[in-house]
PDB file of all heavy atoms in Angstrom:
ATOM      1  N   LYS A   6      95.850  95.552 102.572  1.00 97.00           N
ATOM      2  CA  LYS A   6      95.801  96.686 103.491  1.00 97.00           C
ATOM      3  C   LYS A   6      94.370  97.116 103.789  1.00 97.00           C
ATOM      4  O   LYS A   6      94.139  97.984 104.636  1.00 97.00           O
ATOM      5  CB  LYS A   6      96.585  97.860 102.922  1.00 97.00           C
ATOM      6  CG  LYS A   6      98.101  97.634 102.876  1.00 97.00           C
ATOM      7  CD  LYS A   6      98.823  98.870 102.374  1.00 97.00           C
ATOM      8  CE  LYS A   6     100.336  98.662 102.378  1.00 97.00           C
ATOM      9  NZ  LYS A   6     101.061  99.859 101.882  1.00 97.00           N
ATOM     10  N   LEU A   7      93.414  96.516 103.080  1.00 98.00           N
ATOM     11  CA  LEU A   7      92.011  96.866 103.259  1.00 98.00           C
ATOM     12  C   LEU A   7      91.335  95.888 104.214  1.00 98.00           C
ATOM     13  O   LEU A   7      91.744  94.731 104.328  1.00 98.00           O
ATOM     14  CB  LEU A   7      91.295  96.878 101.911  1.00 98.00           C
ATOM     15  CG  LEU A   7      91.911  97.782 100.838  1.00 98.00           C
ATOM     16  CD1 LEU A   7      91.108  97.701  99.551  1.00 98.00           C
ATOM     17  CD2 LEU A   7      92.012  99.218 101.329  1.00 98.00           C
ATOM     18  N   GLU A   8      90.280  96.366 104.874  1.00 98.00           N
ATOM     19  CA  GLU A   8      89.614  95.568 105.901  1.00 98.00           C
ATOM     20  C   GLU A   8      88.107  95.539 105.675  1.00 98.00           C
ATOM     21  O   GLU A   8      87.504  96.523 105.245  1.00 98.00           O
ATOM     22  CB  GLU A   8      89.865  96.163 107.289  1.00 98.00           C
ATOM     23  CG  GLU A   8      91.323  96.252 107.688  1.00 98.00           C
ATOM     24  CD  GLU A   8      91.511  97.016 108.991  1.00 98.00           C
ATOM     25  OE1 GLU A   8      90.517  97.592 109.521  1.00 98.00           O
ATOM     26  OE2 GLU A   8      92.661  97.041 109.477  1.00 98.00           O
ATOM     27  N   VAL A   9      87.515  94.396 106.025  1.00 98.00           N
ATOM     28  CA  VAL A   9      86.069  94.265 106.173  1.00 98.00           C
ATOM     29  C   VAL A   9      85.809  93.905 107.630  1.00 98.00           C
ATOM     30  O   VAL A   9      86.432  92.986 108.167  1.00 98.00           O
ATOM     31  CB  VAL A   9      85.510  93.181 105.231  1.00 98.00           C
ATOM     32  CG1 VAL A   9      84.070  92.857 105.594  1.00 98.00           C
ATOM     33  CG2 VAL A   9      85.596  93.628 103.784  1.00 98.00           C
ATOM     34  N   TRP A  10      84.939  94.651 108.285  1.00 98.00           N
ATOM     35  CA  TRP A  10      84.654  94.408 109.698  1.00 98.00           C
ATOM     36  C   TRP A  10      83.497  93.424 109.837  1.00 98.00           C
ATOM     37  O   TRP A  10      82.462  93.559 109.168  1.00 98.00           O
ATOM     38  CB  TRP A  10      84.318  95.714 110.406  1.00 98.00           C
ATOM     39  CG  TRP A  10      85.513  96.625 110.577  1.00 98.00           C
ATOM     40  CD1 TRP A  10      86.756  96.465 110.022  1.00 98.00           C
ATOM     41  CD2 TRP A  10      85.565  97.814 111.354  1.00 98.00           C
ATOM     42  NE1 TRP A  10      87.581  97.478 110.408  1.00 98.00           N
ATOM     43  CE2 TRP A  10      86.891  98.325 111.234  1.00 98.00           C
ATOM     44  CE3 TRP A  10      84.658  98.500 112.145  1.00 98.00           C
ATOM     45  CZ2 TRP A  10      87.298  99.498 111.861  1.00 98.00           C
ATOM     46  CZ3 TRP A  10      85.060  99.670 112.775  1.00 98.00           C
ATOM     47  CH2 TRP A  10      86.362 100.157 112.641  1.00 98.00           C
ATOM     48  N   VAL A  69      84.303 106.065 109.438  1.00 98.00           N
ATOM     49  CA  VAL A  69      85.499 106.919 109.410  1.00 98.00           C
ATOM     50  C   VAL A  69      86.795 106.109 109.363  1.00 98.00           C
ATOM     51  O   VAL A  69      87.869 106.699 109.207  1.00 98.00           O
ATOM     52  CB  VAL A  69      85.532 107.881 110.614  1.00 98.00           C
ATOM     53  CG1 VAL A  69      84.335 108.800 110.588  1.00 98.00           C
ATOM     54  CG2 VAL A  69      85.596 107.122 111.932  1.00 98.00           C
ATOM     55  N   ALA A  70      86.703 104.783 109.505  1.00 98.00           N
ATOM     56  CA  ALA A  70      87.914 103.955 109.477  1.00 98.00           C
ATOM     57  C   ALA A  70      88.505 103.968 108.068  1.00 98.00           C
ATOM     58  O   ALA A  70      87.849 103.538 107.104  1.00 98.00           O
ATOM     59  CB  ALA A  70      87.605 102.537 109.923  1.00 98.00           C
ATOM     60  N   LYS A  71      89.727 104.445 107.928  1.00 95.00           N
ATOM     61  CA  LYS A  71      90.330 104.691 106.621  1.00 95.00           C
ATOM     62  C   LYS A  71      90.404 103.447 105.758  1.00 95.00           C
ATOM     63  O   LYS A  71      90.121 103.489 104.558  1.00 95.00           O
ATOM     64  CB  LYS A  71      91.725 105.295 106.806  1.00 95.00           C
ATOM     65  CG  LYS A  71      92.417 105.630 105.494  1.00 95.00           C
ATOM     66  CD  LYS A  71      93.775 106.266 105.728  1.00 95.00           C
ATOM     67  CE  LYS A  71      94.468 106.591 104.399  1.00 95.00           C
ATOM     68  NZ  LYS A  71      95.798 107.194 104.619  1.00 95.00           N
ATOM     69  N   ASN A  72      90.799 102.323 106.330  1.00 97.00           N
ATOM     70  CA  ASN A  72      91.030 101.119 105.541  1.00 97.00           C
ATOM     71  C   ASN A  72      89.848 100.167 105.526  1.00 97.00           C
ATOM     72  O   ASN A  72      89.924  99.099 104.929  1.00 97.00           O
ATOM     73  CB  ASN A  72      92.273 100.388 106.044  1.00 97.00           C
ATOM     74  CG  ASN A  72      93.545 101.165 105.783  1.00 97.00           C
ATOM     75  OD1 ASN A  72      93.616 101.952 104.837  1.00 97.00           O
ATOM     76  ND2 ASN A  72      94.550 100.983 106.614  1.00 97.00           N
ATOM     77  N   CYS A  73      88.754 100.529 106.211  1.00 98.00           N
ATOM     78  CA  CYS A  73      87.569  99.673 106.231  1.00 98.00           C
ATOM     79  C   CYS A  73      86.738  99.946 104.983  1.00 98.00           C
ATOM     80  O   CYS A  73      86.290 101.066 104.757  1.00 98.00           O
ATOM     81  CB  CYS A  73      86.745  99.928 107.488  1.00 98.00           C
ATOM     82  SG  CYS A  73      85.220  98.960 107.559  1.00 98.00           S
ATOM     83  N   ILE A  74      86.516  98.902 104.180  1.00 98.00           N
ATOM     84  CA  ILE A  74      85.794  99.081 102.920  1.00 98.00           C
ATOM     85  C   ILE A  74      84.355  98.580 102.993  1.00 98.00           C
ATOM     86  O   ILE A  74      83.600  98.714 102.026  1.00 98.00           O
ATOM     87  CB  ILE A  74      86.523  98.391 101.755  1.00 98.00           C
ATOM     88  CG1 ILE A  74      86.586  96.877 101.974  1.00 98.00           C
ATOM     89  CG2 ILE A  74      87.913  98.987 101.567  1.00 98.00           C
ATOM     90  CD1 ILE A  74      87.110  96.107 100.766  1.00 98.00           C
ATOM     91  N   GLY A  75      83.966  97.976 104.124  1.00 98.00           N
ATOM     92  CA  GLY A  75      82.609  97.477 104.246  1.00 98.00           C
ATOM     93  C   GLY A  75      82.461  96.600 105.469  1.00 98.00           C
ATOM     94  O   GLY A  75      83.417  96.398 106.229  1.00 98.00           O
ATOM     95  N   LYS A  98      79.015 102.603 103.948  1.00 98.00           N
ATOM     96  CA  LYS A  98      79.899 101.659 103.268  1.00 98.00           C
ATOM     97  C   LYS A  98      79.125 100.394 102.929  1.00 98.00           C
ATOM     98  O   LYS A  98      78.081 100.123 103.520  1.00 98.00           O
ATOM     99  CB  LYS A  98      81.121 101.358 104.137  1.00 98.00           C
ATOM    100  CG  LYS A  98      82.041 102.568 104.276  1.00 98.00           C
ATOM    101  CD  LYS A  98      83.300 102.274 105.065  1.00 98.00           C
ATOM    102  CE  LYS A  98      84.168 103.535 105.149  1.00 98.00           C
ATOM    103  NZ  LYS A  98      85.401 103.325 105.936  1.00 98.00           N
ATOM    104  N   TYR A 171      85.660 101.337  96.888  1.00 98.00           N
ATOM    105  CA  TYR A 171      86.508 102.127  97.784  1.00 98.00           C
ATOM    106  C   TYR A 171      87.501 102.962  96.976  1.00 98.00           C
ATOM    107  O   TYR A 171      87.708 104.150  97.240  1.00 98.00           O
ATOM    108  CB  TYR A 171      87.241 101.177  98.731  1.00 98.00           C
ATOM    109  CG  TYR A 171      88.380 101.762  99.516  1.00 98.00           C
ATOM    110  CD1 TYR A 171      88.158 102.398 100.734  1.00 98.00           C
ATOM    111  CD2 TYR A 171      89.696 101.653  99.062  1.00 98.00           C
ATOM    112  CE1 TYR A 171      89.210 102.925 101.479  1.00 98.00           C
ATOM    113  CE2 TYR A 171      90.753 102.172  99.792  1.00 98.00           C
ATOM    114  CZ  TYR A 171      90.504 102.807 100.992  1.00 98.00           C
ATOM    115  OH  TYR A 171      91.564 103.321 101.713  1.00 98.00           O
TER     116      TYR A 171
END
Side-chain angles (χ1 to χ4, degrees):
K6 291 183 178 180
L7 305 180
E8 301 172 353
V9 168
W10 289 9
V69 299
K71 182 178 180 181
N72 292 332
C73 177
I74 63 171
K98 292 183 180 179
Y171 167 86

